[in-house]
Every structure is written in C-alpha cells, then in structure tokens.
Amino acid sequence: MAFPSYLVPNLWTLTLLTLLAASVQSNFIVFDDDPLQPVTQDETVSVGGTVTLTCRVAASDNSSLQWSNTAQQTLYFGEKRALRDNRIQLHRSTGTELSITIGNVQLSDEGEYTCSIFTMPVRTARATVTVLGVPGKPQISGYEDTVQEGGKVTLTCTSSGSKPPAKLRWYRNQEELTGRPDVVETNPDEATYTVISELTLTVGRSDDNTLIGCAVDHPSLSSGEKWTEQPIRVLFTPDVTIQPQNDLPREGEKFIIQCIGNGNPKPTSYVWQKKDGELPLLAKVDGSFLLFEMLNKSDNGVYLCQADNGIGKMQGEYTLLVQDPTAMSTSSGVDHAVIGGVVAVIVFILLCLLIVLGRYLIRHKGTYLTHEAKGCDDAPDADTAIINAEGGHSGAEDKKEYFI
C-alpha cells in the first residue's frame, strides 16, 4: 500500500526534527548550568566522627536553602534550626551557601541528604553520607601453652564492628605471614561485621619468644593503629658447648672447664666423661663444671659433657692439651713480639740521629785567626815587638789554624 506523499517525510522535515532535538538537548545543558541549581558532594565519615554537609549555588535570588535528612525531615532552613538534635549545628549560612555539621555520627546517620532551594520550580541536590564502622582491637586466641620444637600451633584472630568488613594481616616480628582466608560474619544487632582469620605455624627453636602479631586493615584506621601480639614459647633440646677457664692449661696449675647448655627449659642434669677412659682422680665434677686441682700431662684427652633438660639430651666435647709450665699463651707471644719490634725501631732511629749529628759537627769545625807582625821575631826587645805587632795588622798575612 502506498502512503500519501504528504505523509512521507522529506529532507527538510528530517532536518527540522534534528534541529528541534538539538534545541531540546541544548535546553538541558543550560539547565545543568543553571546558577540557581544547588551543588553538593558525597561524604564519608567514621562512627563517632563529624561530617560537614555543604550546599552551594552560583547566584542568589534571595531564596532560602534547606537541608533535609534521610527521612526528609528538615534540619536547617536558612539559619533556622528545624530539628531538635544538638549533634547538628549550623556551620555557615549565606545567600549562596548553607553548611551544617553532624557530630558523633552513628551508623543510623548513613543515607542520602537533600539540599533544596525554594525557587519556581524548586531545585534540589542530593549528597550521600557513608558511615564507616570502626573495627575493634583484634584478639588472638588458640595459644594455650608452650609448644615443643617441630609441633604446630593454630592461632585465631578476631575483630568486630567493622563496616565494610576489615582485613586481618598476620606478622611474625616484622615479616608478614599468610593465614587462611578471612571469614566474615554479619552482626545481627547492627550493620557491622565480625572478621575471623586463622594462622597455623610449624615452630622451631628460632621461634622461641617470637611475637606473632595480628593487625586490622580498614579505611577508618591509619596503618598499624590497631594491633595485638602473642608471644610464642617453644621447648627444644639444648645446644651444648664447653668453655675453658683460659686458653693456656699449664702443667701444675688449677684449671676449670664449663658445660653450657642453651635450651628451653635450661638443662638440669650434666654428665661428664672422658673419651676412651675414666675421669682423672684429681678431677672433680660440680654440676656443669669440671675442676682440675693440679693439671698433669696425663690429663690430656677429649672430655665429653651431656646436658639434659627433660626435652632431650645433647653432648659437647673439649680437647685438653696440657702445656709446659713455662709456656706462654699465643696472645702473650704476640705482645712480646710487638714490643720487641717497637724497641728495635727506636734504636735504629737513635743510631741514624747520631750519625747525622756527627757528620754535621765534622763539617762545621771552628776557624781561628792569629795575627803576627812581620819582624816580631827579630825585635830586640818586647816593647819593640808589641809596637811592631800593633802597627803591622794591615800588612800582615793571615794565618789560619785548623783543629782536627
């Protein structure tokens, strides 16, 4: 079926429709730039904090601005308080701005707040307030008593009151550990969450007295603000070493060696033995000490000490080599060598100084001049010789005497 020609849109009609649509769209753009349109912004605040709600317009026509809460109850109309809630206070009121504060914010304060300006027509803007539930300090449970080396311990960390759900992180000293994924439970009485995390460790002796920490990560908290720690005690067999009283056991002198066991708990029993033989008759056992009243070269050998702390037994050994009574320790020998070297250097320097001084004196010996007048030896008497000597200085030859 053919349509009448007047029903078929031509090019001019399409162009006109396009321009009309552009004009309508342009009108919306102008509306968005309306100087009387209120402008607000969303806010986020933690429970117990204070939030500021600000509503502004670009120009004023003397119309009043108004803030309403999530239940559409008027909070402030211009400078006038409309709702009797002392937590809500006027912050600033001008012809182009209305700002209010809400203190001691609670979870029930979360929602959409409306700012209105009573023009014709009424213009509104909305601001969403998000309230963060602050998580409580984490609590660690599951640690009952000391754990034996190689055993396992399972710890549980719990934090309640967060919104949105917090994240829990585990640490050993400052090293972050990986626990099981957090379990999130909803608290029935309020819109908050309880977060639970578990950590299982296989402990060794290096973990004794280690602090296992649990930290809460949440937007309402600064880093490390809420943290708790649990010390771990590990039981392990002792490490045994034997230390001598000094490094030079000399024949005829008293000598002591001590058995040191580092374990948890500390060793309570020590057993001394001599490898391939009996303990010397003059050697006395006093707990962790083995005393030799007077060393003899027959005491030479390897001595063993076994320490027992109830968790296990471990053994250490020490080789005793008795020296002659005149023997000096290695450190004493080194000291004497250093002193001898210093003395030799000083003597060498003194000899060099004496040689240099001697050569200097030889090159700078004294020069003495004598003046004898010619003919003094031929003078008939002493008076004439004196007269000739006094008058003959200018023409006399200098005679030099060298003393070698």
Side-chain angles (χ1 to χ4, degrees), residues 349-359:
I349 294 174
L350 291 175
L351 288 175
C352 292
L353 290 176
L354 289 174
I355 292 172
V356 173
L357 182 61
R359 292 178 62 86

Side-chain angles (χ1 to χ4, degrees), residues 246-295:
N246 57 64
D247 295 332
L248 186 63
R250 288 184 286 205
E251 189 175 14
E253 293 185 353
K254 185 177 179 180
F255 189 68
I256 302 174
I257 55 178
Q258 181 182 7
C259 183
I260 299 175
N262 293 318
N264 185 28
K266 294 293 184 182
T268 55
S269 173
Y270 298 90
V271 177
W272 285 97
Q273 294 177 330
K274 185 178 182 182
K275 195 173 183 179
D276 301 328
E278 299 291 334
L279 289 176
L281 294 177
L282 296 180
K284 296 181 180 179
V285 175
D286 183 10
S288 63
F289 294 93
L290 182 62
L291 297 81
F292 297 85
E293 294 294 339
M294 183 179 295
L295 281 176

